Amino acid sequence: MIRKTFPSPPVLISACLTLLISLFWYSFQGQEDHSVMSPRLQQALHGEGPWAVWVFFSDKGLSGDTLAEALAAAEDDLDPRAARRRTKGNFPEGRLVDEADLAVYPDYLARARTAGAKLRQTSRWLNAASYQVTRAQAFRLSRLDCVAKMDLVNRSHRSAVPVPVGEPVPLAAGTAPREKASGAIDYGTNLGAMNQVNVPPLHDAGLTGKGVLIGMLDTGFRTVHEALENIPVLGTWDFVNGDPNVDNEGSDPVGSRNHGTMTLSTVAGNMPGSLVGPAFGASVVLAKTEDVAEEVPIEEDYWVAGLEWVESLGADFVSSSLGYIDWYDYSDLDGNTAVTTIAADLAAGRGMLVVNSAGNNRNITGTLIAPADGDSVLTVGAVDISGTVTSFSSPGPTFDGRTKPDIAALGLSNTVA
């Protein structure tokens, strides 16, 4: 007779628990190995949260006749100025829109809400939304079958704030002195900067900012300054606080608006005898896309939202002295990786030029910042009045070997508001 022996109940329970834990761990590890999360996001989740993350969706949830109807409706809704500018783009089937112009599928956003994450921004062009998440919420989002990819939202960097000058900047060696252009424009202490890039002859020919709409993406703006108060402002939006006030408000630090005020005055300031900028007479739309109140600012998503917004209003150009690098490596500066770079190229495909600072990383990473790596972005470096590259201005090339910056202008001791 063969006698069968069985483990005692405590041993059996222990074995079952061990098996269950092993199966759970194996499943978790396998899921992580095949996750839609980027390696840098997975690494970041080992630290302290919460985190700001991009969630990229698989599609727009439309096809066939429904897709065609949505595209037709999107084209009908285009701002007339944006429609005229988009004729310079290259859209399929003779349209002025494509699927990137359609809203993120509402059902996907509703499903993402079930993860409990806090929505920050949505992007039509990227077919994505950004969320503030805990570790558990990030993994819940990653398990949704409508999610194609997840990544970190990037930290922003501002271009160096120039030290304002009170006396005229000396002209570069060999430059013929001239106090005014044709006796009509008194550039004040901005004369050296304007002569350096040969602006006065263009003004003499009647080429100013008149008739041009410029979108400005920055930290905030003091539009009542005497050099700025006559600039036509056709739209404002604060993407940080979700309101139309782009000046300081609430808990904003006192200096929040300074950087944007300075860049706006550099572009379009108009105070004869003190400061006249190259694009005086232009109209502007102002987007506050950086939260300087945060200890570690994270505004890549605000920048993309601001870019889509100014494009929708018909802006011809965008001026941005912001950039992103913290979560990126040099290998990511290939013109096709950073979300801001992708968005900037999509803007160019819609006939709008993005002009972006090269960055201030010459002595930090020694590389550009995104979206300055974009092949459709006009990347601007900084020089002193003699034409020498400043000690901070980021150098190229891009990772794939393209020469950047494309141009350079005065970025040290500028006359600014």
Side-chain angles (χ1 to χ4, degrees):
M1 179 178 180
I2 299 175
R3 177 174 295 176
K4 296 180 180 179
T5 59
F6 297 92
S8 64
V11 175
L12 183 60
I13 292 172
S14 176
C16 289
L17 285 174
T18 301
L19 177 61
L20 286 172
I21 291 171
S22 299
L23 288 172
F24 174 81
W25 181 250
Y26 179 83
S27 173
F28 179 80
Q29 288 294 93
Q31 179 185 349
E32 190 175 61
D33 289 343
H34 300 89
S35 174
V36 294
M37 296 182 184
S38 69
R40 55 180 162 239
L41 174 55
Q42 292 187 47
Q43 182 178 5
L45 291 176
H46 290 297
E48 294 296 323
W51 299 267
V53 300
W54 282 110
V55 176
F56 299 88
F57 298 103
S58 54
D59 53 56
K60 290 293 178 76
L62 302 172
S63 61
D65 292 343
T66 306
L67 174 59
E69 291 170 4
L71 289 171
E75 188 164 32
D76 290 341
D77 289 341
L78 281 178
D79 180 273
R81 185 182 181 107
R84 288 195 299 272
R85 192 208 57 241
R86 282 187 176 216
T87 59
K88 296 183 287 184
N90 183 23
F91 293 94
E93 302 176 3
R95 289 193 180 278
L96 297 179
V97 298
D98 57 22
E99 282 193 50
D101 291 298
L102 302 181
V104 176
Y105 192 40
D107 181 60
Y108 293 166
L109 293 174
R111 292 166 67 181
R113 280 198 299 272
T114 64
K118 179 183 177 182
L119 179 67
R120 288 168 56 99
Q121 295 289 335
T122 60
S123 169
R124 295 173 289 120
W125 293 357
L126 300 177
N127 193 25
S130 62
Y131 295 89
Q132 182 171 305
V133 299
T134 63
R135 185 180 295 102
Q137 290 166 350
F139 278 102
R140 284 199 290 270
L141 284 168
S142 74
R143 297 184 188 109
L144 296 176
D145 58 9
C146 59
V147 172
K149 186 176 69 170
M150 291 176 61
D151 205 348
L152 287 164
V153 173
N154 213 336
R155 299 183 174 101
S156 71
H157 295 268
R158 296 184 294 279
S159 294
V161 176
V163 178
V165 296
E167 298 296 328
V169 177
L171 298 181
T175 304
R178 56 186 298 171
E179 295 183 357
K180 300 178 182 179
S182 299
I185 299 176
D186 185 352
Y187 294 97
T189 54
N190 206 35
L191 175 63
M194 295 298 91
N195 272 327
Q196 185 182 58
V197 288
N198 210 30
V199 166
L202 300 178
H203 287 167
D204 289 347
L207 297 174
T208 66
K210 186 176 181 180
V212 175
L213 181 59
I214 302 173
M216 301 288 300
L217 308 183
D218 221 297
T219 64
F221 306 88
R222 180 190 173 203
T223 57
V224 296
H225 189 282
E226 56 191 341
L228 309 175
E229 59 189 0
N230 293 320
I231 298 176
V233 179
L234 304 189
T236 60
W237 193 256
D238 179 348
F239 285 86
V240 178
N241 297 304
D243 60 48
N245 182 9
V246 294
D247 207 327
N248 287 2
E249 60 177 315
S251 60
D252 287 343
V254 174
S256 295
R257 65 188 182 184
N258 291 3
H259 192 266
T261 302
M262 291 178 178
T263 60
L264 177 58
S265 67
T266 300
V267 171
N270 191 8
M271 187 179 177
S274 295
L275 166 63
V276 176
F280 75 90
S283 300
V284 297
V285 288
L286 306 177
K288 180 178 175 179
T289 64
E290 182 173 357
D291 183 2
V292 300
E294 288 193 41
E295 184 177 354
V296 183
I298 305 178
E299 294 88 26
E300 191 180 42
D301 50 351
Y302 296 148
W303 192 93
V304 172
L307 186 68
E308 293 184 18
W309 175 72
V310 299
E311 190 280 332
S312 73
L313 297 179
D316 301 294
F317 303 94
V318 166
S319 175
S320 164
S321 291
L322 305 172
Y324 309 85
I325 194 63
D326 291 63
W327 296 123
Y328 298 130
D329 297 320
Y330 179 53
S331 60
D332 295 318
L333 298 176
D334 59 359
N336 298 304
T337 300
V339 294
T340 49
T341 304
I342 294 169
D345 284 345
L346 286 167
R350 286 153 174 74
M352 183 175 72
L353 177 64
V354 176
V355 182
N356 207 91
S357 164
N360 304 323
N361 284 19
R362 178 172 292 272
N363 295 317
I364 304 171
T365 64
T367 67
L368 300 165
I369 55 178
D373 63 314
D375 56 11
S376 299
V377 173
L378 186 65
T379 303
V380 185
V383 295
D384 64 19
I385 196 62
S386 70
T388 302
V389 177
T390 64
S391 62
F392 55 82
S393 187
S394 292
T398 61
F399 181 73
D400 55 323
R402 286 173 290 114
T403 298
K404 290 283 185 176
D406 300 296
I407 59 174
L410 188 67
L412 187 67
S413 298
N414 297 64
T415 300
V416 295

